[in-house]
Amino acid sequence: MEETLFQKLQRVKPADIGHVFLFMLALPISLIYRLFRRNMWLICDNKNEARDNGYHFFRYVCEKHPEIDAVYAISYRSPDYSKVKNLGKTVNYGSLKHWIYYLAAEKNISSQKGGKPNAAVCYFLEVKGLLKNTRIFLQHGIIKDDMPWLYYENTKMRLFVCSTKRECDYVSEKYGYPDGWVQELGICRLDCLHDMQVKPKQVLIMPTWRSWIATPTSASYEIEDVSKFTNTEYYKSWSAFLSDGRLNDIAEEYGLDIVFYPHRDMQPYLSYFNINSPRITIASWPEYDVQELLKESAYLITDYSSIAMDFAYMKKRLTYYQFDYKDFRRGQYPEGYFSYENDGFGRVCYNADEVLSELETAAQEDFRNVDIYLKRHDEFFDLYDTQNCERNFNAIVSIIAL
């Protein structure tokens, strides 16, 4: 969904204005600080998390290459702070010190495009060419769709990590990066998906976010009424599915434990889902970890989430439930190179009846995967090993800082 300048400005927060002053204060200090830490690598994921590719890369660097001056940016109030604090150096996310480190660092490395002291201020400085720094995008997942906000003109990132040949070819051809700046290295968290203890009766339901609901603007109303969360098709469809007596019956008959864990940007709406079934858990962050849920679950029901790629990578069975396909394409991500019907790793369903039928069939078969999807796995994942962190490290070392 292409937004006007006015609609983009609706996303600007008062805190963003405050960061303009932090930047101005940090800039002269960073010029001096850089003289003492010329080779610092600043690494991060989300402000409040250490669970994505940035964390896995930071852990690898701390354990395998302690000679690197690596620092991890995270909120000191984060429930994940202690685990990175015990690994190596940290800085409080969004602080003046974070700004100084960001401006002084030889390389800024993140799994998030917005992985910086303030996304709005840094976007303006970097994309307009006012700030020259070397930024590495470790990626948040495997790209399937057309995401214009990740085009080179909107990021100016020096290295863009991909995980498969098809993804790498697509991003290289479509997103406008200079030759060699998009590389097939494998996202770092995939290294940890080769050892898993699966709970044979656990079913994970993990839908992705809807940008027009999570961060509404006037453009959101072109998709649907977002004045109340309960008005949205997202709520109506998932609430009805989780409350469907047939889902509970299947869970009871086959002894299933069902975990509903929506994307972190939809977590604020969890309280709207009132499910009275001992077989269904409404899982919240930070009590539940995405990667652990993916590793331990036997079966996945999702919609368009890239976490389906992680699940498929482990050669496990899944189903796509896409009740709002047209709205998602219009309001969030246009189609890319990946067809769910022709390339996906599970059956594509458009209504609850189809999903419930597929779930029951899978349960009857003890969630064994289907040959056609295993074949697609072998054809798609041309990198399938535990050297992703190593490849990322070697690629980053080879980059000459700006």
Side-chain angles (χ1 to χ4, degrees), residues 81-135:
Y81 172 63
S82 60
K83 72 179 186 181
V84 286
K85 179 184 178 183
N86 294 330
L87 280 175
K89 304 167 191 172
T90 63
V91 63
N92 193 19
Y93 202 108
S95 64
L96 173 62
K97 192 174 183 180
H98 187 191
W99 267 109
I100 295 169
Y101 280 21
Y102 188 76
L103 296 169
E106 178 191 25
K107 292 163 184 174
N108 284 283
I109 304 164
S110 179
S111 63
Q112 308 291 322
K113 182 198 173 190
K116 50 199 74 175
N118 179 268
V121 175
C122 289
Y123 171 83
F124 177 80
L125 295 171
E126 294 160 355
V127 173
K128 298 303 181 183
L130 302 176
L131 176 61
K132 302 289 186 182
N133 61 2
T134 303
R135 284 170 290 119

Side-chain angles (χ1 to χ4, degrees), residues 101-235:
Y101 280 21
Y102 188 76
L103 296 169
E106 178 191 25
K107 292 163 184 174
N108 284 283
I109 304 164
S110 179
S111 63
Q112 308 291 322
K113 182 198 173 190
K116 50 199 74 175
N118 179 268
V121 175
C122 289
Y123 171 83
F124 177 80
L125 295 171
E126 294 160 355
V127 173
K128 298 303 181 183
L130 302 176
L131 176 61
K132 302 289 186 182
N133 61 2
T134 303
R135 284 170 290 119
I136 289 89
F137 187 39
L138 296 179
Q139 268 268 44
H140 177 56
I142 298 176
I143 286 178
K144 315 177 298 316
D145 309 305
D146 185 9
M147 298 179 172
W149 54 280
L150 287 179
Y151 288 5
Y152 179 69
E153 63 186 22
N154 295 321
T155 72
K156 302 296 174 66
M157 291 183 291
R158 175 59 182 83
L159 175 64
F160 193 118
V161 175
C162 290
S163 298
T164 74
K165 185 177 186 302
R166 287 191 65 194
E167 178 197 20
C168 191
D169 288 348
Y170 176 72
V171 173
S172 297
E173 294 167 7
K174 178 79 174 179
Y175 284 29
Y177 287 81
D179 290 345
W181 289 26
V182 178
Q183 296 186 30
E184 183 187 359
L185 306 170
I187 54 177
C188 295
R189 68 173 184 259
L190 297 182
D191 283 348
C192 296
L193 297 186
H194 293 264
D195 61 327
M196 67 196 90
Q197 297 294 322
V198 178
K199 298 179 180 178
K201 298 294 185 179
Q202 181 166 298
V203 173
L204 177 60
I205 302 176
M206 191 176 285
T208 193
W209 66 315
R210 303 297 188 274
S211 60
W212 66 90
I213 300 173
T215 51
T217 69
S218 57
S220 300
Y221 291 87
E222 298 173 17
I223 307 298
E224 61 179 333
D225 178 11
V226 295
S227 58
K228 294 182 179 179
F229 178 65
T230 51
N231 291 341
T232 65
E233 188 62 26
Y234 178 96
Y235 169 76

Side-chain angles (χ1 to χ4, degrees), residues 7 50 54-55 127 146 148 152 178 182 222 230 249 272 280 360-361:
Q7 289 162 345
Y55 165 71
V127 173
D146 185 9
Y152 179 69
V182 178
E222 298 173 17
T230 51
D249 291 344
Y272 289 91
I280 302 175
E360 184 163 24
T361 298

Side-chain angles (χ1 to χ4, degrees), residues 314-325:
M314 294 182 282
K315 303 184 180 182
K316 295 196 285 187
R317 190 164 177 168
L318 63 91
T319 295
Y320 303 99
Y321 181 22
Q322 300 179 344
F323 53 82
D324 60 348
Y325 186 84

